[in-house]
Amino acid sequence: MDPTSFCAPSSSGSSSSTKAWIVHGLVVGAAVVVALGAHAYLYLGRSGKFRSRVIGIIPARFASSRFPGKPLVQILGKPMIQRTWERAKMATKLDQVGTERCNEALQKLEKKYDVVVNIQGDEPLIEPEVIDGIVKALQAAPDAVFSTAVTSLTPEDAFDPNRVKCVMDTHGYAIYFSRGLIPYNKSAKVNPEYPYMLHLGIQSYDTKFLKIYPELPSTPLQLEEDLEQLKVLERMAIR
Ligand SMILES: *[C@@H]1O[C@H](CO)[C@@H](O)[C@H](O)[C@H]1NC(C)=O
């Protein structure tokens, strides 16, 4: 195992292994046309080809600043990363599960993949259904470049900036991600009636998009919130 860093920027500082992994919804990040500087445009979904070839990658960062060696911490006698891997193997939508930096791993592999699922190594409780769910969500939205999952936000987490909130449109497309509470009630309090959404630390990407994603220049909202995925939403063109 290659001790590597995160392949694609992880959105939240979510290591919420204690959270109940009840999927409340799946979100697809819409980026119909992502401008690539001046020279190229990415027309994803234009080919009309169903993105059937899927790989799951667990990027493990051994030299974590917060917790060195964290992926190898034992949980009930097995390293955390192995637990995560075993759960991921149970997902039926994945052809393969590997543990390397996404882009590097993709280049090394002989087979080509359409979709890569980025499974955080410190999420040993990830439900295989969540993995399958985000793959299906991306496959069902040919105009989307990434998909992710949300669950219900507990009221205690409402004002925690490390818990990333998400709002989506009626079709399940992400409108915005924020460290602040969204939507925000007029009363300036948490509305106990409202089903707030917490963003989970798992994403699946179109592999063509993933190649250019790290190189996309930063955008103002991304920098302000320190949420990588916002640079996709900020460039979004709606067709
Ligand atoms: C705000 O929250 C309260 C409950 O705290 C709810 O009754 C109300 O409908 C919500 N929305 C507005 C616009 O006040």
Side-chain angles (χ1 to χ4, degrees):
M1 187 181 57
D2 186 12
T4 50
S5 55
F6 293 112
C7 69
S10 119
S11 55
S12 49
S14 79
S15 48
S16 56
S17 344
T18 51
K19 282 264 165 309
W21 286 81
I22 302 154
V23 193
H24 227 265
L26 300 156
V27 188
V28 280
V32 178
V33 180
V34 176
L36 273 177
H39 59 277
Y41 286 93
L42 191 69
Y43 290 95
L44 294 162
R46 274 289 168 90
S47 61
K49 192 167 72 72
F50 184 73
R51 293 173 286 188
S52 60
R53 300 165 301 177
V54 185
I55 184 169
I57 291 179
I58 306 167
R61 184 165 56 174
F62 185 79
S64 159
S65 52
R66 277 185 306 171
F67 192 169
K70 189 175 173 190
L72 299 179
V73 166
Q74 303 278 314
I75 302 174
L76 300 173
K78 283 187 192 172
M80 188 190 298
I81 191 156
Q82 188 181 343
R83 293 252 169 229
T84 309
W85 186 77
E86 284 171 6
R87 301 284 292 189
K89 289 284 275 184
M90 289 159 72
T92 60
K93 289 278 162 190
L94 299 182
D95 301 333
Q96 209 184 322
V97 181
T99 56
E100 274 183 279
R101 223 180 149 100
C102 288
N103 268 327
E104 279 173 23
L106 285 174
Q107 277 156 27
K108 277 185 211 159
L109 294 167
E110 298 215 340
K111 215 180 137 194
K112 294 271 171 277
Y113 290 93
D114 305 307
V115 172
V116 56
V117 186
N118 180 12
I119 304 155
Q120 301 299 314
D122 57 0
E123 300 284 13
L125 300 177
I126 190 78
E127 301 275 0
E129 295 76 27
V130 174
I131 299 173
D132 287 339
I134 65 166
V135 172
K136 278 191 248 173
L138 188 62
Q139 288 173 333
D143 55 348
V145 291
F146 77 90
S147 63
T148 185
V150 290
T151 188
S152 4
L153 178 80
T154 52
E156 310 86 80
D157 290 341
F159 297 105
D160 181 349
N162 294 315
R163 297 276 173 258
V164 177
K165 293 83 180 174
C166 174
V167 283
M168 60 177 115
D169 71 13
T170 51
H171 305 287
Y173 282 80
I175 298 173
Y176 194 58
F177 296 89
S178 182
R179 293 181 182 279
L181 185 61
I182 45 169
Y184 196 71
N185 189 282
K186 205 158 84 169
S187 67
K189 292 192 192 99
V190 178
N191 178 1
E193 310 287 304
Y194 192 84
Y196 297 99
M197 295 293 178
L198 170 74
H199 181 217
L200 296 175
I202 179 166
Q203 289 92 15
S204 80
Y205 298 95
D206 182 289
T207 49
K208 276 184 264 165
F209 170 70
L210 187 61
K211 282 202 190 91
I212 59 124
Y213 184 42
E215 268 85 62
L216 289 176
S218 303
T219 47
L221 297 172
Q222 177 215 341
L223 292 172
E224 184 59 18
E225 296 249 15
D226 189 21
L227 293 176
E228 198 74 27
Q229 69 271 41
L230 288 178
K231 75 180 175 186
V232 187
L233 294 182
E234 282 179 89
R235 275 162 219 285
M236 185 173 76
I238 298 169
R239 204 161 34 179

